Amino acid sequence: MLNIPRLFLIFSTPFLLASLINFLTAERTAEAASTTWVFIAYGLAYSFALFFADFSLSLFIQHLFNLVNTYWIRVEEALMSAIFKKTMRLSPEAKQEFTTGEIVNLMSVDARRVAVLFIWIHFPLYIACVVFCTFFFAVFSNF
């Protein structure tokens, strides 16, 4: 759910920067030069919008990172607990089949591999592709 505002902020930053550059490089008429407070207000508005977009993006990314890591740790702990309980229920004949190192490997490395999947699966790639293509064509259609 947090990916959509994050994607919007990622792709809005170049638009805000382009607007600020266009505003600063545009030639001003004599009428516009007489109202310097309007000029300053527009410049400050573009600057604050750019700052707010980057600051909000930073907050979104940190919050999303925190959520993903929290779920990642929970999944890893649940898997390790399930593997440990399963090894405690093994019969003595089955315990001879696996060494202690293999059981520890199952509990730590393999549980971590499954849990790391949650880092990569949370990001809906199709939304990013659609938003990127939309902004890409919007930016380069002006050139």
Side-chain angles (χ1 to χ4, degrees):
M1 192 66 182
L2 291 175
N3 282 324
I4 295 171
R6 184 178 68 92
L7 286 174
F8 175 75
L9 289 171
I10 285 173
F11 292 117
S12 68
T13 303
F15 284 117
L16 289 171
L17 187 59
S19 299
L20 182 63
I21 291 171
N22 288 338
F23 174 73
L24 292 175
T25 58
E27 292 188 26
R28 290 171 289 284
T29 61
E31 180 181 311
S34 65
T35 57
T36 57
W37 65 272
V38 174
F39 177 74
I40 292 172
Y42 276 115
L44 286 175
Y46 284 132
S47 299
F48 283 128
L50 187 61
F51 171 76
F52 180 73
D54 284 339
F55 182 73
S56 300
L57 177 63
S58 175
L59 290 178
F60 273 116
I61 288 173
Q62 290 302 317
H63 184 65
L64 188 64
F65 182 73
N66 186 21
L67 287 176
V68 169
N69 278 338
T70 301
Y71 290 126
W72 172 35
I73 290 170
R74 287 181 184 174
V75 167
E76 186 178 6
E77 289 174 355
L79 285 172
M80 288 177 70
S81 173
I83 293 170
F84 181 75
K85 287 178 184 177
K86 179 74 174 177
T87 58
M88 290 294 118
R89 288 186 278 151
L90 287 175
S91 65
E93 295 83 26
K95 284 183 183 178
Q96 290 176 353
E97 197 174 315
F98 297 105
T99 64
T100 306
E102 289 174 335
I103 293 173
V104 169
N105 187 31
L106 280 173
M107 286 176 53
S108 62
V109 175
D110 295 342
R112 181 165 297 252
R113 285 182 185 163
V114 173
V116 165
L117 178 68
F118 279 88
I119 290 177
W120 299 107
I121 206 167
H122 80 279
F123 185 71
L125 191 58
Y126 58 90
I127 293 175
C129 289
V130 168
V131 171
F132 173 75
C133 289
T134 303
F135 281 116
F136 183 78
F137 289 119
V139 168
F140 288 111
S141 65
N142 293 334
F143 291 111

Short mmCIF file of all heavy atoms in Angstrom, two decimals, residues 35-89:
data_model
loop_
_atom_site.label_atom_id
_atom_site.label_comp_id
_atom_site.label_asym_id
_atom_site.label_seq_id
_atom_site.Cartn_x
_atom_site.Cartn_y
_atom_site.Cartn_z
N THR A 35 6.85 42.86 -10.10
CA THR A 35 6.26 42.13 -8.97
C THR A 35 7.23 41.03 -8.55
O THR A 35 7.03 39.85 -8.81
CB THR A 35 4.91 41.52 -9.37
OG1 THR A 35 5.11 40.69 -10.50
CG2 THR A 35 3.89 42.58 -9.68
N THR A 36 8.30 41.45 -7.89
CA THR A 36 9.32 40.48 -7.49
C THR A 36 8.84 39.56 -6.38
O THR A 36 9.33 38.44 -6.27
CB THR A 36 10.59 41.21 -7.02
OG1 THR A 36 10.25 42.10 -5.97
CG2 THR A 36 11.23 41.94 -8.17
N TRP A 37 7.88 39.99 -5.58
CA TRP A 37 7.40 39.12 -4.51
C TRP A 37 6.68 37.91 -5.08
O TRP A 37 6.73 36.82 -4.50
CB TRP A 37 6.52 39.90 -3.53
CG TRP A 37 5.25 40.41 -4.15
CD1 TRP A 37 5.05 41.58 -4.79
CD2 TRP A 37 4.00 39.72 -4.18
NE1 TRP A 37 3.77 41.69 -5.23
CE2 TRP A 37 3.08 40.55 -4.86
CE3 TRP A 37 3.56 38.50 -3.69
CZ2 TRP A 37 1.76 40.19 -5.07
CZ3 TRP A 37 2.24 38.14 -3.90
CH2 TRP A 37 1.35 38.99 -4.58
N VAL A 38 6.01 38.06 -6.22
CA VAL A 38 5.36 36.91 -6.86
C VAL A 38 6.43 35.95 -7.39
O VAL A 38 6.30 34.73 -7.26
CB VAL A 38 4.43 37.39 -8.00
CG1 VAL A 38 3.87 36.21 -8.77
CG2 VAL A 38 3.33 38.27 -7.46
N PHE A 39 7.47 36.52 -7.96
CA PHE A 39 8.58 35.71 -8.46
C PHE A 39 9.21 34.90 -7.33
O PHE A 39 9.47 33.70 -7.46
CB PHE A 39 9.61 36.62 -9.13
CG PHE A 39 10.82 35.90 -9.61
CD1 PHE A 39 10.76 35.10 -10.75
CD2 PHE A 39 12.03 36.00 -8.93
CE1 PHE A 39 11.89 34.42 -11.19
CE2 PHE A 39 13.14 35.32 -9.37
CZ PHE A 39 13.08 34.53 -10.50
N ILE A 40 9.45 35.57 -6.21
CA ILE A 40 10.04 34.90 -5.06
C ILE A 40 9.08 33.84 -4.51
O ILE A 40 9.50 32.75 -4.13
CB ILE A 40 10.42 35.92 -3.97
CG1 ILE A 40 11.57 36.79 -4.46
CG2 ILE A 40 10.80 35.24 -2.66
CD1 ILE A 40 11.90 37.95 -3.56
N ALA A 41 7.79 34.14 -4.49
CA ALA A 41 6.81 33.17 -3.98
C ALA A 41 6.78 31.92 -4.83
O ALA A 41 6.73 30.80 -4.30
CB ALA A 41 5.43 33.82 -3.92
N TYR A 42 6.80 32.08 -6.16
CA TYR A 42 6.81 30.91 -7.04
C TYR A 42 8.10 30.09 -6.86
O TYR A 42 8.07 28.87 -6.82
CB TYR A 42 6.66 31.32 -8.50
CG TYR A 42 5.23 31.53 -8.92
CD1 TYR A 42 4.79 32.79 -9.29
CD2 TYR A 42 4.34 30.47 -8.97
CE1 TYR A 42 3.48 33.00 -9.67
CE2 TYR A 42 3.03 30.66 -9.36
CZ TYR A 42 2.60 31.93 -9.72
OH TYR A 42 1.31 32.11 -10.10
N GLY A 43 9.21 30.77 -6.76
CA GLY A 43 10.48 30.07 -6.56
C GLY A 43 10.51 29.30 -5.25
O GLY A 43 10.95 28.15 -5.20
N LEU A 44 10.01 29.93 -4.19
CA LEU A 44 9.95 29.24 -2.90
C LEU A 44 8.97 28.07 -2.94
O LEU A 44 9.23 27.03 -2.33
CB LEU A 44 9.58 30.22 -1.80
CG LEU A 44 10.67 31.20 -1.38
CD1 LEU A 44 10.13 32.21 -0.37
CD2 LEU A 44 11.86 30.46 -0.81
N ALA A 45 7.85 28.24 -3.63
CA ALA A 45 6.88 27.15 -3.73
C ALA A 45 7.48 25.94 -4.44
O ALA A 45 7.32 24.81 -3.98
CB ALA A 45 5.63 27.63 -4.46
N TYR A 46 8.18 26.17 -5.55
CA TYR A 46 8.85 25.07 -6.24
C TYR A 46 9.91 24.42 -5.35
O TYR A 46 10.04 23.20 -5.30
CB TYR A 46 9.48 25.54 -7.55
CG TYR A 46 8.50 25.76 -8.66
CD1 TYR A 46 8.54 26.93 -9.41
CD2 TYR A 46 7.54 24.81 -8.99
CE1 TYR A 46 7.64 27.15 -10.45
CE2 TYR A 46 6.65 25.01 -10.02
CZ TYR A 46 6.70 26.18 -10.75
OH TYR A 46 5.82 26.38 -11.77
N SER A 47 10.68 25.24 -4.66
CA SER A 47 11.74 24.71 -3.80
C SER A 47 11.18 23.89 -2.64
O SER A 47 11.67 22.80 -2.35
CB SER A 47 12.59 25.85 -3.24
OG SER A 47 13.19 26.56 -4.29
N PHE A 48 10.13 24.41 -1.99
CA PHE A 48 9.53 23.67 -0.88
C PHE A 48 8.84 22.40 -1.37
O PHE A 48 8.86 21.38 -0.68
CB PHE A 48 8.55 24.54 -0.11
CG PHE A 48 9.21 25.52 0.81
CD1 PHE A 48 8.90 26.85 0.77
CD2 PHE A 48 10.17 25.10 1.72
CE1 PHE A 48 9.51 27.76 1.61
CE2 PHE A 48 10.79 25.99 2.57
CZ PHE A 48 10.46 27.34 2.52
N ALA A 49 8.24 22.44 -2.54
CA ALA A 49 7.61 21.23 -3.09
C ALA A 49 8.66 20.16 -3.37
O ALA A 49 8.46 18.97 -3.07
CB ALA A 49 6.84 21.56 -4.36
N LEU A 50 9.80 20.57 -3.90
CA LEU A 50 10.88 19.62 -4.16
C LEU A 50 11.43 19.05 -2.85
O LEU A 50 11.66 17.85 -2.73
CB LEU A 50 11.99 20.31 -4.96
CG LEU A 50 13.12 19.44 -5.47
CD1 LEU A 50 12.60 18.38 -6.42
CD2 LEU A 50 14.16 20.30 -6.16
N PHE A 51 11.63 19.91 -1.86
CA PHE A 51 12.11 19.45 -0.56
C PHE A 51 11.11 18.52 0.09
O PHE A 51 11.47 17.46 0.61
CB PHE A 51 12.38 20.65 0.37
CG PHE A 51 12.66 20.23 1.78
CD1 PHE A 51 13.88 19.70 2.12
CD2 PHE A 51 11.68 20.36 2.75
CE1 PHE A 51 14.14 19.31 3.43
CE2 PHE A 51 11.92 19.97 4.06
CZ PHE A 51 13.16 19.44 4.39
N PHE A 52 9.81 18.88 0.06
CA PHE A 52 8.78 18.05 0.68
C PHE A 52 8.68 16.69 -0.01
O PHE A 52 8.51 15.67 0.66
CB PHE A 52 7.43 18.77 0.63
CG PHE A 52 6.32 17.98 1.24
CD1 PHE A 52 6.23 17.81 2.61
CD2 PHE A 52 5.37 17.38 0.44
CE1 PHE A 52 5.21 17.06 3.17
CE2 PHE A 52 4.34 16.64 0.98
CZ PHE A 52 4.26 16.47 2.36
N ALA A 53 8.81 16.65 -1.33
CA ALA A 53 8.74 15.39 -2.06
C ALA A 53 9.90 14.48 -1.66
O ALA A 53 9.70 13.29 -1.39
CB ALA A 53 8.74 15.64 -3.56
N ASP A 54 11.11 15.02 -1.60
CA ASP A 54 12.27 14.21 -1.22
C ASP A 54 12.20 13.78 0.25
O ASP A 54 12.54 12.64 0.59
CB ASP A 54 13.56 14.96 -1.48
CG ASP A 54 13.93 14.99 -2.94
OD1 ASP A 54 13.43 14.11 -3.69
OD2 ASP A 54 14.70 15.88 -3.35
N PHE A 55 11.78 14.68 1.11
CA PHE A 55 11.66 14.34 2.53
C PHE A 55 10.60 13.27 2.76
O PHE A 55 10.82 12.31 3.49
CB PHE A 55 11.34 15.61 3.34
CG PHE A 55 11.26 15.38 4.81
CD1 PHE A 55 12.41 15.16 5.55
CD2 PHE A 55 10.04 15.39 5.46
CE1 PHE A 55 12.34 14.95 6.91
CE2 PHE A 55 9.96 15.17 6.82
CZ PHE A 55 11.12 14.95 7.56
N SER A 56 9.45 13.41 2.11
CA SER A 56 8.39 12.42 2.23
C SER A 56 8.83 11.08 1.67
O SER A 56 8.51 10.02 2.23
CB SER A 56 7.13 12.88 1.52
OG SER A 56 6.67 14.08 2.06
N LEU A 57 9.56 11.12 0.57
CA LEU A 57 10.07 9.89 -0.02
C LEU A 57 10.99 9.17 0.95
O LEU A 57 10.92 7.95 1.11
CB LEU A 57 10.80 10.20 -1.32
CG LEU A 57 11.45 9.02 -2.04
CD1 LEU A 57 10.40 8.02 -2.47
CD2 LEU A 57 12.25 9.51 -3.21
N SER A 58 11.83 9.91 1.62
CA SER A 58 12.73 9.32 2.60
C SER A 58 11.94 8.67 3.74
O SER A 58 12.26 7.55 4.18
CB SER A 58 13.67 10.38 3.15
OG SER A 58 14.47 9.85 4.17
N LEU A 59 10.90 9.34 4.22
CA LEU A 59 10.08 8.77 5.28
C LEU A 59 9.35 7.51 4.82
O LEU A 59 9.28 6.52 5.55
CB LEU A 59 9.07 9.80 5.78
CG LEU A 59 9.63 10.97 6.56
CD1 LEU A 59 8.52 11.92 6.95
CD2 LEU A 59 10.39 10.50 7.77
N PHE A 60 8.80 7.53 3.61
CA PHE A 60 8.11 6.35 3.07
C PHE A 60 9.06 5.16 2.95
O PHE A 60 8.72 4.04 3.31
CB PHE A 60 7.48 6.65 1.71
CG PHE A 60 6.12 7.24 1.78
CD1 PHE A 60 5.89 8.51 1.32
CD2 PHE A 60 5.06 6.52 2.31
CE1 PHE A 60 4.63 9.07 1.40
CE2 PHE A 60 3.80 7.06 2.38
CZ PHE A 60 3.58 8.35 1.92
N ILE A 61 10.25 5.41 2.43
CA ILE A 61 11.19 4.32 2.23
C ILE A 61 11.62 3.72 3.58
O ILE A 61 11.69 2.50 3.73
CB ILE A 61 12.41 4.80 1.42
CG1 ILE A 61 12.00 5.02 -0.03
CG2 ILE A 61 13.57 3.82 1.51
CD1 ILE A 61 13.07 5.64 -0.89
N GLN A 62 11.90 4.57 4.56
CA GLN A 62 12.30 4.07 5.87
C GLN A 62 11.18 3.29 6.55
O GLN A 62 11.41 2.26 7.18
CB GLN A 62 12.77 5.22 6.76
CG GLN A 62 14.08 5.81 6.32
CD GLN A 62 15.19 4.77 6.28
OE1 GLN A 62 15.33 3.94 7.17
NE2 GLN A 62 15.99 4.81 5.23
N HIS A 63 9.94 3.79 6.43
CA HIS A 63 8.81 3.09 7.03
C HIS A 63 8.58 1.74 6.35
O HIS A 63 8.34 0.73 7.02
CB HIS A 63 7.56 3.96 6.94
CG HIS A 63 6.38 3.37 7.63
ND1 HIS A 63 6.32 3.16 8.98
CD2 HIS A 63 5.20 2.89 7.13
CE1 HIS A 63 5.17 2.61 9.31
NE2 HIS A 63 4.48 2.43 8.19
N LEU A 64 8.66 1.72 5.04
CA LEU A 64 8.50 0.47 4.30
C LEU A 64 9.61 -0.51 4.65
O LEU A 64 9.35 -1.71 4.83
CB LEU A 64 8.48 0.76 2.80
CG LEU A 64 8.14 -0.40 1.89
CD1 LEU A 64 6.71 -0.87 2.14
CD2 LEU A 64 8.28 0.03 0.44
N PHE A 65 10.84 -0.03 4.75
CA PHE A 65 11.95 -0.88 5.14
C PHE A 65 11.74 -1.47 6.53
O PHE A 65 12.01 -2.65 6.77
CB PHE A 65 13.24 -0.07 5.09
CG PHE A 65 14.48 -0.84 5.41
CD1 PHE A 65 14.99 -1.75 4.50
CD2 PHE A 65 15.13 -0.66 6.61
CE1 PHE A 65 16.13 -2.46 4.79
CE2 PHE A 65 16.27 -1.37 6.91
CZ PHE A 65 16.77 -2.27 6.00
N ASN A 66 11.23 -0.67 7.44
CA ASN A 66 10.96 -1.14 8.79
C ASN A 66 9.88 -2.23 8.79
O ASN A 66 10.02 -3.26 9.46
CB ASN A 66 10.54 0.03 9.68
CG ASN A 66 10.39 -0.38 11.12
OD1 ASN A 66 10.93 -1.38 11.56
ND2 ASN A 66 9.66 0.41 11.88
N LEU A 67 8.81 -2.02 8.04
CA LEU A 67 7.74 -3.02 7.97
C LEU A 67 8.23 -4.32 7.36
O LEU A 67 7.93 -5.41 7.88
CB LEU A 67 6.57 -2.48 7.16
CG LEU A 67 5.70 -1.42 7.79
CD1 LEU A 67 4.64 -0.95 6.80
CD2 LEU A 67 5.04 -1.95 9.05
N VAL A 68 8.96 -4.23 6.28
CA VAL A 68 9.45 -5.44 5.61
C VAL A 68 10.41 -6.21 6.52
O VAL A 68 10.32 -7.44 6.63
CB VAL A 68 10.12 -5.08 4.27
CG1 VAL A 68 10.87 -6.25 3.70
CG2 VAL A 68 9.07 -4.61 3.29
N ASN A 69 11.29 -5.51 7.21
CA ASN A 69 12.22 -6.19 8.11
C ASN A 69 11.50 -6.83 9.28
O ASN A 69 11.88 -7.91 9.74
CB ASN A 69 13.29 -5.24 8.61
CG ASN A 69 14.41 -5.08 7.61
OD1 ASN A 69 14.61 -5.94 6.76
ND2 ASN A 69 15.13 -4.00 7.71
N THR A 70 10.45 -6.19 9.78
CA THR A 70 9.68 -6.77 10.88
C THR A 70 9.03 -8.07 10.45
O THR A 70 9.10 -9.09 11.16
CB THR A 70 8.61 -5.77 11.36
OG1 THR A 70 9.25 -4.58 11.78
CG2 THR A 70 7.81 -6.35 12.51
N TYR A 71 8.40 -8.07 9.28
CA TYR A 71 7.78 -9.30 8.79
C TYR A 71 8.82 -10.35 8.45
O TYR A 71 8.60 -11.54 8.67
CB TYR A 71 6.89 -9.00 7.59
CG TYR A 71 5.66 -8.24 7.95
CD1 TYR A 71 5.35 -7.05 7.31
CD2 TYR A 71 4.80 -8.67 8.95
CE1 TYR A 71 4.22 -6.33 7.64
CE2 TYR A 71 3.68 -7.96 9.30
CZ TYR A 71 3.39 -6.79 8.64
OH TYR A 71 2.28 -6.08 8.98
N TRP A 72 9.95 -9.93 7.93
CA TRP A 72 11.01 -10.85 7.58
C TRP A 72 11.49 -11.60 8.82
O TRP A 72 11.66 -12.82 8.82
CB TRP A 72 12.13 -10.07 6.91
CG TRP A 72 13.39 -10.82 6.65
CD1 TRP A 72 13.51 -12.14 6.30
CD2 TRP A 72 14.72 -10.32 6.70
NE1 TRP A 72 14.82 -12.47 6.12
CE2 TRP A 72 15.60 -11.37 6.36
CE3 TRP A 72 15.26 -9.08 6.99
CZ2 TRP A 72 16.97 -11.21 6.31
CZ3 TRP A 72 16.63 -8.94 6.92
CH2 TRP A 72 17.46 -9.99 6.60
N ILE A 73 11.72 -10.87 9.90
CA ILE A 73 12.19 -11.49 11.14
C ILE A 73 11.13 -12.43 11.71
O ILE A 73 11.44 -13.53 12.19
CB ILE A 73 12.60 -10.41 12.15
CG1 ILE A 73 13.87 -9.71 11.68
CG2 ILE A 73 12.80 -10.99 13.54
CD1 ILE A 73 14.24 -8.48 12.47
N ARG A 74 9.87 -12.04 11.64
CA ARG A 74 8.79 -12.91 12.14
C ARG A 74 8.71 -14.21 11.35
O ARG A 74 8.53 -15.28 11.93
CB ARG A 74 7.46 -12.17 12.09
CG ARG A 74 7.33 -11.11 13.13
CD ARG A 74 5.99 -10.43 13.02
NE ARG A 74 5.88 -9.34 13.97
CZ ARG A 74 4.86 -8.51 14.02
NH1 ARG A 74 3.87 -8.63 13.16
NH2 ARG A 74 4.84 -7.55 14.92
N VAL A 75 8.81 -14.12 10.04
CA VAL A 75 8.76 -15.32 9.21
C VAL A 75 9.95 -16.21 9.49
O VAL A 75 9.81 -17.44 9.61
CB VAL A 75 8.68 -14.94 7.71
CG1 VAL A 75 8.92 -16.12 6.83
CG2 VAL A 75 7.34 -14.32 7.40
N GLU A 76 11.12 -15.63 9.61
CA GLU A 76 12.32 -16.42 9.88
C GLU A 76 12.21 -17.13 11.23
O GLU A 76 12.55 -18.32 11.35
CB GLU A 76 13.54 -15.53 9.84
CG GLU A 76 14.84 -16.28 9.97
CD GLU A 76 16.05 -15.38 9.89
OE1 GLU A 76 15.89 -14.14 9.85
OE2 GLU A 76 17.17 -15.91 9.86
N GLU A 77 11.74 -16.42 12.24
CA GLU A 77 11.57 -17.04 13.56
C GLU A 77 10.55 -18.16 13.53
O GLU A 77 10.74 -19.21 14.15
CB GLU A 77 11.16 -15.99 14.58
CG GLU A 77 12.26 -15.02 14.95
CD GLU A 77 11.78 -13.91 15.87
OE1 GLU A 77 10.56 -13.83 16.13
OE2 GLU A 77 12.62 -13.12 16.30
N ALA A 78 9.45 -17.96 12.80
CA ALA A 78 8.42 -19.01 12.72
C ALA A 78 8.95 -20.25 12.01
O ALA A 78 8.68 -21.39 12.44
CB ALA A 78 7.20 -18.47 12.00
N LEU A 79 9.71 -20.05 10.94
CA LEU A 79 10.29 -21.20 10.24
C LEU A 79 11.31 -21.94 11.08
O LEU A 79 11.32 -23.18 11.13
CB LEU A 79 10.93 -20.74 8.94
CG LEU A 79 9.98 -20.39 7.80
CD1 LEU A 79 10.76 -19.76 6.65
CD2 LEU A 79 9.25 -21.62 7.33
N MET A 80 12.16 -21.20 11.77
CA MET A 80 13.15 -21.85 12.63
C MET A 80 12.48 -22.61 13.76
O MET A 80 12.90 -23.73 14.11
CB MET A 80 14.14 -20.82 13.17
CG MET A 80 15.09 -20.31 12.12
SD MET A 80 16.21 -19.04 12.71
CE MET A 80 17.27 -19.98 13.77
N SER A 81 11.43 -22.05 14.31
CA SER A 81 10.69 -22.73 15.37
C SER A 81 10.02 -24.00 14.86
O SER A 81 10.05 -25.04 15.52
CB SER A 81 9.64 -21.79 15.96
OG SER A 81 8.83 -22.45 16.87
N ALA A 82 9.43 -23.92 13.67
CA ALA A 82 8.78 -25.10 13.10
C ALA A 82 9.79 -26.20 12.80
O ALA A 82 9.53 -27.39 13.06
CB ALA A 82 8.02 -24.71 11.84
N ILE A 83 10.95 -25.83 12.26
CA ILE A 83 11.99 -26.83 11.97
C ILE A 83 12.52 -27.44 13.27
O ILE A 83 12.73 -28.66 13.36
CB ILE A 83 13.13 -26.20 11.14
CG1 ILE A 83 12.61 -25.83 9.75
CG2 ILE A 83 14.31 -27.15 11.03
CD1 ILE A 83 13.59 -24.99 8.94
N PHE A 84 12.70 -26.62 14.30
CA PHE A 84 13.18 -27.14 15.58
C PHE A 84 12.17 -28.10 16.19
O PHE A 84 12.55 -29.18 16.68
CB PHE A 84 13.46 -25.98 16.54
CG PHE A 84 13.98 -26.43 17.87
CD1 PHE A 84 15.28 -26.86 18.00
CD2 PHE A 84 13.15 -26.42 18.99
CE1 PHE A 84 15.77 -27.28 19.22
CE2 PHE A 84 13.63 -26.84 20.21
CZ PHE A 84 14.94 -27.27 20.33
N LYS A 85 10.89 -27.75 16.16
CA LYS A 85 9.87 -28.65 16.70
C LYS A 85 9.82 -29.96 15.92
O LYS A 85 9.60 -31.03 16.49
CB LYS A 85 8.50 -27.97 16.68
CG LYS A 85 8.35 -26.89 17.73
CD LYS A 85 6.99 -26.22 17.64
CE LYS A 85 6.90 -25.08 18.62
NZ LYS A 85 5.63 -24.35 18.51
N LYS A 86 9.99 -29.87 14.62
CA LYS A 86 9.99 -31.07 13.79
C LYS A 86 11.17 -31.97 14.13
O LYS A 86 11.03 -33.18 14.20
CB LYS A 86 10.03 -30.66 12.31
CG LYS A 86 10.06 -31.79 11.35
CD LYS A 86 8.71 -32.43 11.24
CE LYS A 86 8.75 -33.49 10.14
NZ LYS A 86 7.52 -34.19 10.02
N THR A 87 12.34 -31.38 14.39
CA THR A 87 13.50 -32.20 14.73
C THR A 87 13.36 -32.83 16.11
O THR A 87 13.90 -33.90 16.35
CB THR A 87 14.80 -31.37 14.70
OG1 THR A 87 14.69 -30.28 15.60
CG2 THR A 87 15.10 -30.90 13.31
N MET A 88 12.61 -32.20 17.00
CA MET A 88 12.40 -32.79 18.32
C MET A 88 11.46 -34.00 18.26
O MET A 88 11.51 -34.87 19.11
CB MET A 88 11.81 -31.74 19.28
CG MET A 88 12.77 -30.65 19.66
SD MET A 88 14.11 -31.31 20.63
CE MET A 88 15.49 -30.97 19.59
N ARG A 89 10.62 -34.05 17.23
CA ARG A 89 9.68 -35.17 17.09
C ARG A 89 10.24 -36.32 16.26
O ARG A 89 9.54 -37.31 16.04
CB ARG A 89 8.37 -34.68 16.46
CG ARG A 89 7.54 -33.84 17.43
CD ARG A 89 6.22 -33.49 16.84
NE ARG A 89 6.45 -32.33 15.97
CZ ARG A 89 5.74 -32.05 14.90
NH1 ARG A 89 4.77 -32.82 14.52
NH2 ARG A 89 6.01 -30.98 14.17
#
